[in-house]
Amino acid sequence: MKMKKQDRQAAIEKEIEANPFITDNELSQRFHVSIQTIRLDRSQLNIPELRTRIKMVAQQNHERIQSIEANEIIGYVIDIVPNETATSVIQINEDSVFTRNQIARGHVLFAQANSLCVALIHKPVVLTRESRVKFVKQVKLHDNVHAKARVLEVNEKYFYIEVKSYVQQTQVFEGTFKMYYTSEDETENG
């Protein structure tokens, strides 16, 4: 059964409020209309495209990041509690995949996870000491990858962080990272 335009637009607005990172493709499938219809509905509702919504959220979160510049982060940090948890999202584009099969290059997923670990730690200098990673499932062109990092342990020199990445609800990557850090005093005393 086809929804009336007004009802569909109201439902789209609710979906995006509940999940600002939902794609036009996912909305198209959910409401059984074309992607062009979704784009037109978003435009009429003054709801920006996904990339713009992600950037807006990331800009709000970057104020809480001390260890890395925004342009050095792979993906966009959409949620962060410094020294505890963080989440980033990246959309896999043509530059991130192998031309032959449209599968994401592993270093892109690793870089997203690694830079998220750096961003998570609220210290002036953060470097990767060790990592163990596992690529669980293939990621394809245009997938949105959500990486979730959580601190497992902290001692006087290292943070131990777990990262799990997902495309929708399917896990595609996991890793543990041992991150070296320096405190404010150490950087001042050189």
Side-chain angles (χ1 to χ4, degrees), residues 56-175:
M56 290 167 51
V57 173
Q59 286 171 344
Q60 294 168 354
N61 282 303
H62 193 60
E63 297 169 5
R64 297 186 283 178
I65 299 172
Q66 180 180 349
S67 57
I68 190 171
E69 296 299 320
N71 64 344
E72 297 172 325
I73 298 172
I74 308 301
Y76 297 98
V77 176
I78 58 171
D79 185 37
I80 186 166
V81 178
N83 301 330
E84 291 181 27
T85 62
T87 304
S88 74
V89 66
I90 188 171
Q91 185 173 45
I92 302 301
N93 60 29
E94 288 82 7
D95 296 335
S96 304
V97 298
F98 293 106
T99 307
R100 279 184 201 202
N101 54 23
Q102 306 295 292
I103 295 173
R105 298 168 187 264
H107 70 268
V108 174
L109 299 179
F110 175 85
Q112 178 190 21
N114 189 70
S115 65
L116 184 60
C117 288
V118 174
L120 171 61
I121 301 170
H122 200 66
K123 301 289 182 184
V125 176
V126 178
L127 302 168
T128 305
R129 173 73 174 160
E130 295 174 16
S131 65
R132 293 188 103 156
V133 300
K134 180 179 178 184
F135 297 91
V136 179
K137 249 183 139 65
Q138 294 176 353
V139 175
K140 300 272 190 175
L141 180 64
H142 303 302
D143 281 347
N144 284 317
V145 181
H146 293 257
K148 299 177 183 209
R150 131 182 116 88
V151 173
L152 301 174
E153 181 186 334
V154 181
N155 64 33
E156 65 280 347
K157 284 190 175 187
Y158 300 105
F159 272 76
Y160 297 86
I161 300 172
E162 171 187 72
V163 179
K164 292 184 178 181
S165 300
Y166 301 85
V167 172
Q168 295 182 5
Q169 275 65 38
T170 303
Q171 186 176 348
V172 296
F173 172 94
E174 65 184 33

